[in-house]
Amino acid sequence: MSYPYQIKSLEEYQSAYKQSVEDPEGFWAGVADHFTWHRKWDKVLDWNFTGPEVKWFSGAQLNITENCLDRHLAERGDQPAIIWESNDPEEDHRVLSYKELHFKVCQFANVLKNNGIKKGDRICIYMPMVPELAIAVLACARIGAIHSVVFGGFSAQSIADRIQDAQASLVITSDGAYRGNKDIPLKSVIDDALVQCPSIKKVIVLTRTRVPVSMIKGRDTWWEDEIKKVETQGNPACPAVTMDAEDMLFILYTSGSTGKPKGVVHTCAGYMVYTNYSFVNVFQYQPGDVYFCTADIGWITGHSYIVYGPLSAGATTLLFEGIPTWPDAGRMWDVVDKFKVNILYTAPTAIRSLMGFGLDYVKNKDLSSLRVLGTVGEPINEEAWNWYNENIGKGRCPIVDTWWQTETGGILISNLAAVTPQKRSHATLPLPGVQPLLVDEKGEPIPGSDAAIDGPYHAKGDGTAGSGNLCIKFPWPSIIRTTYGDHDRCRQTYFATYPSLYFTGDGALRDEEGNYRITGRVDDVLNVSGHRIGTAEVENAINMHTGVVESAVVGYPHDIKGQGIYAFVIFNGNKTDEILISKDIVQTVARIIGPIAKPDKIQLVSGLPKTRSGKIMRRILRKIAEGELNNLGDTSTLLDPAVVEEIKNNRL
Ligand code: WTA
């Protein structure tokens, strides 16, 4: 497979960017021409950001799995599509060629059909990182069912919320999951969730850990038995259902600054074109490369850059079930060495954690196959960047610092490996088709910050530097279409803060060359180990604990996680054992949201700093959590200034 739209030089980048701004429809039609369609589009783009309403490739028909599977069969049917490495280094790895993956996806799509699933039905997937997870995702797409993958670290309550919101009718799970030295009982978590989910009619359970599970008659069925049924039916084929360009492909829930997580909706054609385009260009994938993304398929990174982007490009994508630190901190480098990985895409939090274990775990590992390194999920600090560059890339691998979001579907700002300049700790330049700009609090553009007007790149550094809130002013093909079941929430959250702009929720700087540096969230969303967690969500969970009157949650700098969670809690129950109370609260949060949202610090307080109108002054709490005790700003407008002194004195 060749990629005629792969950018090869800085000059080509400049001209692609220019064309994408001057003639976006022509530009994207040129890329989209290289995919398999049942019917081509009538119109490339229809849009407004007030609705918002964005339609890419209207009138076109396709199935994304034909682009990820069928179209590769003739030329590279025997090439590995997925290489799977188990959690357990002793267990044999598995390789699925494109032919085998195609066969298994069709087979499981027939299982879904046997269970009554039709186009448009919602399917909840809660599985470990095994090939069957990718197979389940693609099987849904094959028949037009909408998948909603829930990360294995979420609790029963979180799963129930997501199932109810999407009104899903079927769950795909496994008996259990291995993660490092832990066995996680996924099916029993699902059983707890389903007590609240009458919409679920069927549960398909893959065998993985052989932990005992309860199987409810009429509802629960084993994956393996379902496959046998399909085998006895004879015909292994499963024609791909024809989808309209703007039919929903999947829902993925993500946290915001208010309320419960919302279901971000992506649709078929635009998402396919953009994830492929960005994959091929950012990582500069070459046919035959082994590409390893360490994310979980439960997050957007796994959707776009383990499954859809790489497979639509005919790439070999490595799926790793385990964690970087088990059996020891050399595990990731062993995987790179074992499979001669060429492109490695991981998160700053993983780098910082491995850095802490020292160089002994990197020594004696052959990392010479690596050509490109990538990071995603949070700003990468200079120390981690240097360590990654020197000890993993040995100073010869470009590092792509990729900025994007669940809502953007694909990478929007990043250098292109060894093609556009990299700058340590900077996401750098927008991809062609992406028009970022920075605005101040009032929505006024920061001079010189608009890539489409001011030019994306100034080699001589003669652009104007500035900082502000990061917005995008023109749609790209994989932009969020709606939040499931509540379109107005989508408008309010992303398109209402600044009229006719998509607001990212991130702050950024732009230097004189045009490089963007993302500085982090400017709203009440935390980024803990690269996972998005809403402060309001954590507060709601804490407030469920008996004895808790009120709470306020803020982030603070954490050496490994990037941000840690600091909770200030007013507790009215029996306070004899504060340590036990804190542990109980942590347990409550793990129950309500999942272990990823556990607070790192819980401080019991007698009051919270509030304005006279009753609003919690988070700014002050954030400063206290960060340890900036002498720089709290004006506290005179507080209802009860004394409470600040108490909180300061008892800071953890
Ligand atoms: C942050 C993950 C700095 C940012 C793909 C964004 C980053 C949020 C970077 C989205 C980066 C992601 N540099 N910050 N390279 N990449 N972020 O939805 O705050 O899980 O808004 O998507 O992660 O997180 P999400």
Side-chain angles (χ1 to χ4, degrees):
M1 184 155 198
S2 69
Y3 314 112
Y5 44 85
Q6 192 172 52
I7 295 166
K8 290 285 167 210
S9 65
L10 182 56
E11 293 68 38
E12 278 181 35
Y13 163 76
Q14 297 268 39
S15 74
Y17 192 83
K18 191 160 177 284
Q19 193 210 345
S20 78
V21 171
E22 289 170 358
D23 176 20
E25 297 198 33
F27 178 80
W28 286 112
V31 177
D33 266 335
H34 300 283
F35 292 76
T36 300
W37 302 91
H38 291 194
R39 181 181 189 276
K40 288 241 176 129
W41 47 92
D42 301 317
K43 180 108 174 51
V44 177
L45 174 63
D46 268 315
W47 72 288
N48 68 72
F49 275 177
T50 41
E53 190 171 7
V54 179
K55 288 189 193 152
W56 280 94
F57 308 110
S58 285
Q61 295 185 319
L62 75 156
N63 187 289
I64 195 168
T65 69
E66 288 178 328
N67 286 275
C68 290
L69 302 168
D70 305 59
R71 70 162 166 163
H72 306 310
L73 295 182
E75 210 185 306
R76 48 174 36 82
D78 295 319
Q79 180 201 297
I82 293 179
I83 299 175
W84 174 75
E85 172 71 4
S86 163
N87 178 63
D88 176 359
E90 305 290 316
E91 184 179 352
D92 287 341
H93 68 272
R94 286 168 64 188
V95 179
L96 293 180
S97 68
Y98 271 94
K99 261 188 208 147
E100 288 162 326
L101 183 60
H102 176 263
F103 179 82
K104 284 178 184 293
V105 168
C106 289
Q107 202 180 37
F108 194 69
N110 284 328
V111 166
L112 294 175
K113 287 203 276 191
N114 277 347
N115 282 278
I117 298 304
K118 297 181 301 299
K119 179 178 171 184
D121 291 347
R122 277 82 56 218
I123 313 283
C124 172
I125 303 180
Y126 186 67
M127 287 179 83
M129 281 283 285
V130 290
E132 286 74 12
L133 168 51
I135 291 166
V137 162
L138 292 164
C140 290
R142 187 84 177 167
I143 59 169
I146 299 163
H147 55 78
S148 162
V149 184
V150 179
F151 173 64
F154 281 114
S155 69
Q157 183 61 51
S158 293
I159 299 167
D161 289 344
R162 286 158 173 75
I163 289 176
Q164 286 167 358
D165 187 77
Q167 285 296 298
S169 57
L170 185 144
V171 175
I172 308 169
T173 187
S174 69
D175 48 0
Y178 297 120
R179 254 184 99 66
N181 59 4
K182 292 199 195 107
D183 292 2
I184 301 156
L186 296 189
K187 174 62 165 60
S188 101
V189 179
I190 288 291
D191 288 336
D192 289 346
L194 294 194
V195 173
Q196 309 175 47
C197 301
S199 64
I200 295 293
K201 304 291 178 248
K202 284 274 157 71
V203 181
I204 300 178
V205 187
L206 177 81
T207 304
R208 177 67 188 125
T209 61
R210 300 190 178 277
V211 63
V213 296
S214 82
M215 295 291 282
I216 305 295
K217 196 183 290 169
R219 187 194 73 181
D220 301 353
T221 174
W222 290 103
W223 176 295
E224 295 77 9
D225 291 344
E226 291 294 317
I227 295 288
K228 278 199 202 105
K229 277 189 221 161
V230 169
E231 279 169 354
T232 54
Q233 285 163 355
N235 182 7
C238 176
V241 165
T242 302
M243 304 290 283
D244 288 336
E246 286 295 340
D247 278 342
M248 282 188 202
L249 175 62
F250 66 84
I251 307 171
L252 186 58
Y253 285 83
T254 191
S255 297
S257 49
T258 56
K260 291 202 167 169
K262 47 196 170 296
V264 172
V265 170
H266 286 290
T267 56
C268 294
Y271 177 82
M272 170 182 79
V273 169
Y274 195 80
T275 52
N276 176 294
Y277 179 82
S278 50
F279 172 74
V280 161
N281 279 297
V282 169
F283 300 105
Q284 290 289 305
Y285 187 85
Q286 303 302 323
D289 280 350
V290 177
Y291 162 86
F292 176 18
C293 168
T294 69
D296 191 289
I297 292 178
W299 305 109
I300 191 68
T301 306
H303 283 60
S304 301
Y305 298 112
I306 294 179
V307 181
Y308 289 113
L311 294 177
S312 68
T316 296
T317 177
L318 200 156
L319 209 94
F320 176 44
E321 184 186 29
I323 56 171
T325 48
W326 189 84
D328 65 42
R331 183 70 167 119
M332 236 158 76
W333 319 129
D334 287 332
V335 176
V336 169
D337 189 344
K338 179 171 175 185
F339 298 104
K340 304 293 165 231
V341 169
N342 305 108
I343 303 171
L344 174 67
Y345 190 29
T346 191
T349 187
I351 298 167
R352 287 192 300 265
S353 142
L354 296 178
M355 209 168 99
F357 286 90
L359 285 175
D360 280 356
Y361 294 97
V362 188
K363 260 192 339 221
N364 307 325
K365 306 286 158 81
D366 180 5
L367 304 181
S368 61
S369 57
L370 287 173
R371 201 184 73 239
V372 175
L373 303 177
T375 71
V376 59
E378 51 178 316
I380 180 161
N381 50 310
E382 299 200 348
E383 198 189 353
W385 194 99
N386 289 341
W387 189 88
Y388 198 32
N389 182 43
E390 281 159 29
N391 300 299
I392 307 307
K394 317 284 182 195
R396 50 170 192 82
C397 300
I399 299 178
V400 290
D401 178 348
T402 65
W403 174 85
W404 58 297
Q405 309 178 297
T406 305
E407 296 85 346
T408 71
I411 297 166
L412 295 197
I413 303 182
S414 173
N415 48 316
L416 313 182
V419 168
T420 62
Q422 71 180 25
K423 182 169 178 184
R424 185 175 51 190
S425 303
H426 286 65
T428 73
L429 305 176
L431 265 67
V434 177
Q435 304 190 17
L437 80 164
L438 306 179
V439 300
D440 66 16
E441 293 295 310
K442 295 195 197 85
E444 290 300 320
I446 305 295
S449 75
D450 184 329
I453 292 178
D454 304 307
Y457 181 62
H458 303 271
K460 299 195 187 75
D462 47 7
T464 317
S467 69
N469 292 339
L470 178 62
C471 296
I472 320 279
K473 67 176 191 183
F474 194 86
W476 60 99
S478 61
I479 186 175
I480 178 175
R481 297 304 197 273
T482 189
T483 44
Y484 192 81
D486 189 353
H487 190 62
D488 197 53
R489 191 164 175 205
C490 174
R491 186 186 63 78
Q492 290 265 358
T493 312
Y494 306 106
F495 299 91
T497 315
Y498 306 114
S500 63
L501 296 176
Y502 168 82
F503 176 44
T504 65
D506 280 321
L509 310 170
R510 192 178 193 239
D511 73 9
E512 292 192 340
E513 290 175 335
N515 296 304
Y516 293 92
R517 176 181 195 150
I518 315 302
T519 46
R521 303 288 306 194
V522 294
D523 54 9
D524 288 325
V525 174
L526 305 179
N527 190 330
V528 180
S529 300
H531 300 152
R532 262 166 81 167
I533 298 171
T535 49
E537 241 182 297
V538 182
E539 287 163 6
N540 289 341
I542 292 174
N543 297 349
M544 304 268 288
H545 188 73
T546 169
V548 170
V549 179
E550 198 178 7
S551 62
V553 164
V554 297
Y556 70 96
H558 187 289
D559 283 349
I560 290 171
K561 299 182 183 182
Q563 264 186 319
I565 302 180
Y566 197 126
F568 300 89
V569 178
I570 306 177
F571 190 80
N572 241 359
N574 180 351
K575 277 192 234 162
T576 41
D577 190 343
E578 293 207 359
I579 293 176
L580 188 60
I581 293 171
S582 294
K583 284 188 178 159
D584 287 348
I585 291 175
V586 167
Q587 198 53 35
T588 306
V589 175
R591 275 266 165 210
I592 303 292
I593 306 177
I596 54 169
K598 284 182 182 175
D600 299 275
K601 295 183 179 180
I602 294 180
Q603 180 177 345
L604 300 188
V605 297
S606 64
L608 292 166
K610 286 189 179 171
T611 60
R612 293 206 171 89
S613 60
K615 202 171 156 259
I616 297 175
M617 298 279 283
R618 291 163 175 288
R619 179 177 53 79
I620 293 176
L621 292 174
R622 222 174 279 134
K623 288 251 160 90
I624 294 176
E626 286 166 4
E628 281 192 49
L629 302 184
N630 299 323
N631 185 19
L632 296 183
D634 184 11
T635 56
S636 64
T637 56
L638 290 180
L639 201 56
D640 176 12
V643 86
V644 174
E645 284 311 306
E646 178 215 293
I647 297 176
K648 264 165 66 173
N649 292 337
N650 298 325
R651 177 178 175 269
L652 298 175

